[in-house]
Structure formats: C-alpha cells, structure tokens
Amino acid sequence: IAFFMIISLQALVSRAFANWAAPCYIAAIIWLSHTLCAHGRKHLLIISIVVNLLTMVVVYHYEALYKQVGIPISKRTDLMRATRGWPELGRFVTNIMELNDEAILLVDERKVLVELIYYAGPKARDGQIFNGNRVMKNHFHLTQDLDQLTGRSFIWVTRANNIAPYQDYFHSIDKLLCYEPSPHDRFCAYKFEYFTGYYYNERQPLYCNTTSRCCYYFDGKGPLSKCFMDNMCKNRGWD
C-alpha cells in the first residue's frame, strides 16, 4: 500500500507511468487470491486465471489471428509496433558510426537513445540527447551537458523531417542516409559539423572584435559575456 501511495502521489504532483507501480501487483495478486478463496469464491479466481491465459495466447499469436480474420497489420493495428525494427536500426547506426569514427551519436528522443545504446554497440554508449530548451525530463537531461562538447561533430539520428531548428547550432549539416527499420518507422541520419553550443545560440546580437579577432555575445544585461576562438570567427565569416 505504501509504495502504491507513493506512486499515486507522484502521479498527482508530476507524472508517473503505470508500470512504475508493477511491484504492487505482486502483493495484490497474493492478497486477492487469498481473499477470494477465504470467501468461497474460488471459481472467480479460476475464471480470472483462464481469462489471463487466453489473453496471453491471443496477444502472442495476434499476427496469425489477424490473417485468419482478414485484418491487415498497420501502424494502428500492430500491437508490437513499438518493439519492431530496433535491431535493424542498431546495425544501420553502427555502420554509419564506423564510417564517422570521430563523431558522437546525437538523438532527439530518450527512447531512441536507450534502444541504440543496447543495439548499436559501444559507439552509441556515449550518445547524447539534444536539449536546446534545457528542460529536465529524463535521466539523460540530468546527466548530460552538450555544451561540454562544443566544436565536436555528431551523427544525428532522427524521425523528424524538419531539421531547420538545429541549423543555428552547427556550422554545417549534411544528410547521409534514411532507413526504414520497420514498415511503420523511418529514420534519417545527418552529419552535424562543429557544435557551437547552447550558450552560443541563446544570446543575441553577435559582435566580433576585428582587433582581437574574438567573437562575443552580448546578453542584453551587462558587458560582453563570452569570447570564442579565432577559428570560429573565421568559420562564421566574421573577419
């Protein structure tokens, strides 16, 4: 009960997923089974077990059942859609990372990074999540800081079709390949060259000192706040 109340409280004040309360179900099954037997309703327990076994069989063999009744497997009807294609995507990303050994994996979804860490091997274990809004929503947001990787290149793997919002954060963006790991999913890989940093893009306008050849940002609240390397001035065309 205590654990269930903790998860319920978290759901009220923030958010919680149903599976977080899974440990409660173990105790609940034991308690409910005892209660039904103690009150002479053992038949309800038997019915419950039979229904659960039948449900398990139906869900496990749903593709064969779909064929029998003529239901096409689509994005809306595929019960296993969320689990399909990850091994294939992992191999796709592994091949790209091997061809771009200096680059770091970059994604825009927590679930994608988690799956690739498992399926894409060692190169994906240092993968990063882009978090330009600085909103803390998951473990990776709390433990990663992409600003520590300014100047680095990345292999961006995404479902998104529009990458325009990210162009200001990198010197160049090249589209590599697109891949459909499953009939219902499509990912594209891009090479993002030279990450300029979140900080760099948060402050406007820009100012470049032609004497010291340093590029600065003015944050609107005080003096010029940051000096960048000479090569960044050149790459940006500020001479």
Side-chain angles (χ1 to χ4, degrees):
I1 297 296
F3 186 76
F4 180 76
M5 294 302 296
I6 291 172
I7 298 299
S8 299
L9 179 62
Q10 181 171 351
L12 288 173
V13 300
S14 178
R15 67 173 185 171
F17 295 97
N19 63 301
W20 291 2
C24 300
Y25 293 109
I26 300 173
I29 290 170
I30 298 172
W31 171 78
L32 184 59
S33 300
H34 170 75
T35 301
L36 290 174
C37 292
H39 290 79
R41 297 186 176 182
K42 188 176 180 179
H43 64 285
L44 293 178
L45 178 61
I46 295 173
I47 292 173
S48 175
I49 293 173
V50 171
V51 168
N52 277 275
L53 289 174
L54 288 175
T55 302
M56 181 179 66
V57 171
V58 169
V59 171
Y60 190 80
H61 297 285
Y62 77 97
E63 292 184 75
L65 293 173
Y66 278 5
K67 291 180 181 179
Q68 291 295 322
V69 298
I71 299 176
I73 296 178
S74 65
K75 188 174 182 178
R76 295 185 62 182
T77 61
D78 190 356
L79 302 181
M80 302 297 290
R81 178 176 64 87
T83 65
R84 293 189 189 277
W86 295 115
E88 293 80 3
L89 182 65
R91 289 191 290 270
F92 169 73
V93 171
T94 298
N95 292 335
I96 291 180
M97 297 301 295
E98 287 177 351
L99 295 174
N100 298 272
D101 191 57
E102 80 291 349
I104 300 171
L105 177 65
L106 184 65
V107 302
D108 53 353
E109 297 179 52
R110 180 196 63 84
K111 183 176 181 179
V112 173
L113 181 56
V114 170
E115 297 287 356
L116 289 179
I117 287 174
Y118 183 82
Y119 287 109
K123 289 292 290 183
R125 291 172 190 161
D126 295 326
Q128 303 284 314
I129 289 184
F130 189 87
N131 186 24
N133 295 327
R134 304 299 188 90
V135 177
M136 300 299 150
K137 290 186 176 181
N138 56 60
H139 165 79
F140 298 107
H141 288 164
L142 292 171
T143 59
Q144 295 180 350
D145 182 7
L146 210 60
D147 270 337
Q148 301 299 316
L149 298 172
T150 54
R152 297 294 300 273
S153 297
F154 296 84
I155 297 298
W156 173 275
V157 178
T158 181
R159 291 186 175 101
N161 294 319
N162 181 21
I163 62 168
Y166 309 104
Q167 291 178 346
D168 290 339
Y169 293 91
F170 300 88
H171 281 190
S172 65
I173 295 178
D174 295 314
K175 188 173 184 177
L176 301 178
L177 292 169
C178 289
Y179 180 65
E180 295 183 2
S182 74
H184 319 308
D185 228 344
R186 184 174 187 268
F187 287 86
C188 288
Y190 299 81
K191 187 167 186 179
F192 287 7
E193 295 277 6
Y194 203 106
F195 177 58
T196 57
Y198 298 137
Y199 181 96
Y200 175 84
N201 287 277
E202 288 171 354
R203 290 161 172 77
Q204 295 292 337
L206 292 167
Y207 170 72
C208 189
N209 187 317
T210 56
T211 302
S212 64
R213 302 192 62 79
C214 280
C215 299
Y216 297 86
Y217 271 101
F218 186 71
D219 59 14
K221 298 179 181 178
L224 296 169
S225 55
K226 192 168 184 179
C227 177
F228 291 92
M229 296 170 57
D230 180 58
N231 65 334
M232 181 174 286
C233 296
K234 293 179 180 178
N235 290 334
R236 286 286 180 174
W238 301 323
D239 297 323

